[in-house]
């Protein structure tokens, strides 16, 4: 059993997670990516936890079928248990050397069972099936199975065979009475907007149904929809994203009326802040809370926050401290260098009309170089930024990405008090504002180890600042 902030297996990375809860234990199967070229096939590994703090990695759970098998790569799926206690595991089978009619590697739905719990899976290749007529054979993946009365439904991330190339994405649907034979029916959700809607997940919470999916497009993020019926229509919340672009492929699991979204925080090529985002990364979990209108908010689980139990002094920065940046920029920087891993919790009071206020992490002593979580009340958003960014050309304005900031999340910020929680661990940073808006990212560059508070174009007060680490 390991105590880690964000789980990552030895010798590899966490791809899509398939979460399942039984007897208060979360079983988190995940696609194990060793990033070796050439690859030896992708298996499912299993890690278990009861609190998203202590993890036990069990290694390979569903192995690759080998270079000649249809399941050389065992991709994303789901797990259910039938009335007889038999566990059924559905996955995506792929072999890059087996091509379909469209000339692309086939994606198939594969089936395995276990009558002895959630281990010892027996594969049933005779039950493997591909896309029916009308769908592309190279996009038929991520089967998600759930119970609907006396029947079972299977959702599949798929693409129509015809239509605009970048707008064929759909969530196909099949039904079954025995989990063995599946009959295609009309698509579950068919917006005709994006390339694909990966990792579909459906659940009911009170009077609302939820559809979760990961948008495979230039946005590349996990989104959700809400409905009063499992058959839709699926409505768009005011903010339909779970997190930022780097938190992907989140699927959900429930325990004791609580709903958790488990995904991965992507790594970046070359372990640099300007590297291209990579597939797979480090496991991360957010907990959802439900509003009366069905909308969801996202925060770090209480058990995770409580695991940071050792106080750390932030330095001589006075608290409370009021900064007046009405006509410019004002800041306060702590003089203590912080540990590699910590939880920062701050309470802010923002005056009416303030443009920007925020917190600096891994800052230099003068605050000139740092990562920043910036609250922008006038724009109703929270932003992750870093300064300075790498100059990619010969001039100061030729910065990496050529964008005004790294990430943003929609976040209503009326004048008054606000709470910000920031977890920093190695190159991962997760911030949550008011326990409702989450922003996860990577911060590789370590300009320093100080923290700071700043305001620009207004007035704000840092009412409290608490920093804790783990034993």
């Amino acid at each position: 059993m390991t105590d880690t902030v964000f789980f990552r297996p030895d010798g590899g990375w966490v791809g899509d997670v398939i979460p399942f809860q039984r007897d208060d234990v979360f079983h988190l199967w995940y696609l194990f990516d060793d990033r070796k070229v050439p690859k030896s096939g992708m298996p499912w590994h299993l890690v278990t936890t009861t609190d998203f703090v202590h993890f036990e990695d069990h290694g390979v759970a569903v192995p690759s079928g080998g270079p000649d098998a249809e399941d050389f790569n065992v991709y994303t799926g789901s797990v259910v248990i039938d009335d007889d206690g038999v566990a059924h595991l559905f996955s995506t089978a792929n072999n890059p050397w087996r091509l379909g009619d469209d000339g692309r590697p086939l994606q198939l739905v594969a089936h395995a069972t276990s009558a002895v719990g959630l281990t010892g899976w027996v594969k049933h290749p005779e039950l493997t099936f591909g896309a029916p007529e009308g769908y592309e054979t190279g996009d038929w993946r991520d089967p998600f199975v759930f119970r609907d009365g006396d029947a079972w439904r299977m959702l599949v991330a798929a693409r129509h065979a015809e239509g605009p190339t970048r707008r064929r994405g759909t969530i196909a649907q099949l039904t079954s009475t025995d989990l063995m034979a599946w009959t295609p029916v009309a698509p579950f959700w068919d917006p005709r907007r994006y390339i694909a809607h990966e990792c579909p997940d459906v659940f009911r919470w009170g009077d609302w149904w939820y559809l979760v999916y990961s948008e495979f497009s230039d946005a590349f993020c996990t989104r959700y929809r809400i409905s009063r019926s499992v058959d839709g229509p699926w409505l768009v919340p005011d903010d339909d994203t779970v997190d930022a672009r780097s938190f992907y492929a989140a699927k959900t699991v429930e325990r004791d009326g609580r709903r958790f979204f488990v995904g991965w925080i992507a790594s970046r090529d070359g372990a640099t802040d300007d590297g291209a985002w990579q597939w797979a990364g480090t496991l991360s979990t957010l907990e959802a809370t439900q509003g009366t209108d069905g909308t969801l908010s996202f925060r770090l689980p209480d058990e995770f926050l409580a695991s940071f139990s050792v106080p750390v002094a932030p330095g001589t920065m006075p608290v409370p401290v009021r900064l007046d940046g009405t006509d410019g920029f004002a800041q306060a920087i702590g003089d203590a260098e912080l540990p590699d891993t910590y939880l920062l919790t701050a309470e802010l009071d923002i005056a009416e009309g303030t443009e920007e206020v925020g917190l600096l992490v891994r800052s230099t002593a003068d605050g000139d170089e740092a990562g920043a979580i910036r609250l922008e009340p006038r724009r109703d958003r929270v932003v992750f930024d870093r300064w300075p960014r790498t100059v990619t050309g010969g001039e100061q304005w030729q910065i990496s990405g050529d964008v005004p900031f790294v990430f943003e999340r929609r976040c209503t910020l009326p004048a008054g008090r606000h709470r910000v929680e920031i977890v920093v661990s190695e190159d991962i940073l997760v911030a949550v504002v008011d326990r409702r808006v989450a922003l996860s990212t990577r911060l590789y560059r370590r300009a320093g180890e100080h923290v700071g508070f700043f305001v620009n174009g207004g007035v704000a007060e840092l009412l409290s600042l608490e920093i804790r680490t783990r034993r």
Side-chain angles (χ1 to χ4, degrees):
M1 186 72 70
T2 59
D3 182 350
T4 184
V5 180
F6 298 99
F7 172 79
R8 177 189 155 192
D10 293 338
W13 300 84
V14 175
D16 301 353
V17 181
I18 298 91
F20 185 85
Q21 188 270 138
R22 189 177 193 182
D23 298 330
D24 292 331
V25 176
F26 296 106
H27 295 72
L28 309 176
W29 290 277
Y30 62 94
L31 309 192
F32 179 84
D33 186 12
D34 61 15
R35 294 187 178 168
K36 293 178 183 177
V37 179
K39 292 183 177 295
S40 56
M42 180 168 287
W44 282 20
H45 280 210
L46 172 65
V47 62
T48 55
T49 182
T50 60
D51 53 11
F52 298 108
V53 176
H54 305 90
F55 296 90
E56 184 174 359
D57 193 359
H58 301 269
V60 177
V62 184
S64 162
D68 298 326
E70 59 190 10
D71 64 341
F72 175 73
N73 293 313
V74 185
Y75 288 149
T76 310
S78 59
V79 174
V80 296
I81 296 178
D82 67 21
D83 293 336
D84 297 322
V86 176
H88 296 255
L89 182 152
F90 297 89
S91 62
T92 306
N94 167 262
N95 188 316
W97 301 286
R98 295 191 177 193
L99 307 182
D101 295 339
D102 55 10
R104 299 171 56 221
L106 282 169
Q107 291 185 347
L108 310 167
V109 170
H111 192 166
T113 59
S114 172
V116 295
L118 297 172
T119 60
W121 297 102
V122 177
K123 296 181 180 181
H124 301 285
E126 72 279 6
L127 298 178
T128 300
F129 64 92
E133 185 177 356
Y135 295 98
E136 292 186 0
T137 60
D139 281 284
W140 186 253
R141 62 181 178 274
D142 308 343
F144 176 78
V145 176
F146 68 102
R147 193 98 181 235
D148 182 17
D150 294 331
W152 296 90
R153 296 198 192 196
M154 176 187 291
L155 310 186
V156 181
R159 279 170 54 81
H160 292 290
E162 297 181 354
T165 300
R166 304 183 67 83
R167 295 178 56 189
R168 296 182 190 173
T170 188
I171 297 179
Q173 181 176 202
L174 306 97
T175 60
S176 175
T177 58
D178 60 4
L179 293 170
M180 299 295 180
W182 292 91
T183 302
V185 294
F188 185 81
W189 190 52
D190 195 23
R192 300 274 186 153
R193 291 184 62 189
Y194 303 113
I195 297 173
H197 309 86
E198 299 189 299
C199 302
D201 187 323
V202 168
F203 62 90
R204 185 175 185 176
W205 194 352
D207 294 330
W208 291 95
W209 283 90
Y210 294 85
L211 166 62
V212 180
Y213 64 96
S214 289
E215 179 186 312
F216 191 77
S217 72
D218 58 340
F220 207 71
C221 62
T222 303
R223 299 185 184 273
Y224 76 97
R225 296 287 187 267
I226 62 176
S227 176
R228 292 290 190 179
S229 166
V230 70
D231 295 312
W234 294 101
L235 308 177
V236 185
D238 287 342
D239 180 6
D240 66 338
T241 57
V242 174
D243 199 322
R245 180 254 179 270
S246 59
F247 181 78
Y248 195 67
K251 293 170 71 69
T252 79
V253 63
E254 182 269 344
R255 186 178 70 183
D256 299 331
R258 300 166 67 188
R259 179 66 57 169
F260 301 91
F261 283 61
V262 189
W264 43 267
I265 299 175
S267 58
R268 305 193 80 155
D269 188 33
T272 65
D273 290 316
D274 298 311
W277 290 105
Q278 296 174 304
W279 186 88
T282 308
L283 187 145
S284 183
T285 302
L286 297 173
E287 182 174 356
T289 55
Q290 185 185 48
T292 55
D293 60 354
T295 59
L296 300 179
S297 301
F298 298 93
R299 66 188 189 189
L300 291 163
D302 289 340
E303 296 87 341
F304 179 86
L305 296 176
S307 68
F308 293 85
S309 59
V310 180
V312 176
T316 58
M317 181 167 52
V319 176
V321 56
R322 182 179 183 274
L323 296 180
D324 189 338
T326 301
D327 192 28
F329 180 87
Q331 68 176 14
I333 307 294
D335 64 0
E337 294 200 356
L338 300 184
D340 185 69
T341 295
Y342 60 85
L343 164 65
L344 179 158
T345 304
E347 295 284 345
L348 312 176
D349 190 357
I350 305 175
E352 187 74 41
T354 296
E355 181 182 2
E356 300 174 349
V357 58
L359 296 157
L360 302 177
V361 295
R362 294 206 164 144
S363 170
T364 53
D366 60 2
D368 197 42
E369 300 181 30
I373 296 297
R374 188 170 67 238
L375 282 63
E376 301 182 358
R378 294 186 188 177
R379 300 178 180 90
D380 285 334
R381 71 184 183 188
V382 56
V383 166
F384 165 69
D385 208 350
R386 60 179 190 271
W387 184 261
R389 298 193 205 103
T390 305
V391 177
T392 58
E395 304 295 341
Q396 173 65 29
W397 61 81
Q398 295 170 329
I399 59 174
S400 61
D402 199 24
V403 292
F405 49 80
V406 181
F407 278 141
E408 71 169 310
R409 292 294 320 283
R410 178 173 178 171
C411 185
T412 304
L413 296 163
R417 297 181 62 147
H418 296 277
R419 175 187 178 96
V420 180
E421 296 160 337
I422 302 174
V423 174
V424 177
S425 181
E426 297 180 352
D427 51 33
I428 291 178
L429 182 153
V430 178
V432 178
V433 178
D434 292 333
R435 308 213 73 190
R436 60 186 175 87
V437 176
L439 192 159
S440 303
T441 187
R442 297 272 178 174
L443 178 60
Y444 291 97
R445 186 170 181 269
R446 302 175 71 143
E449 299 299 338
H450 301 269
V451 297
F453 169 57
F454 68 89
V455 62
N456 182 41
V459 177
E461 185 173 5
L462 178 63
L463 300 173
S464 64
L465 176 65
E466 182 180 64
I467 299 176
R468 294 180 178 270
T469 189
R470 288 182 169 183
R471 296 188 183 278

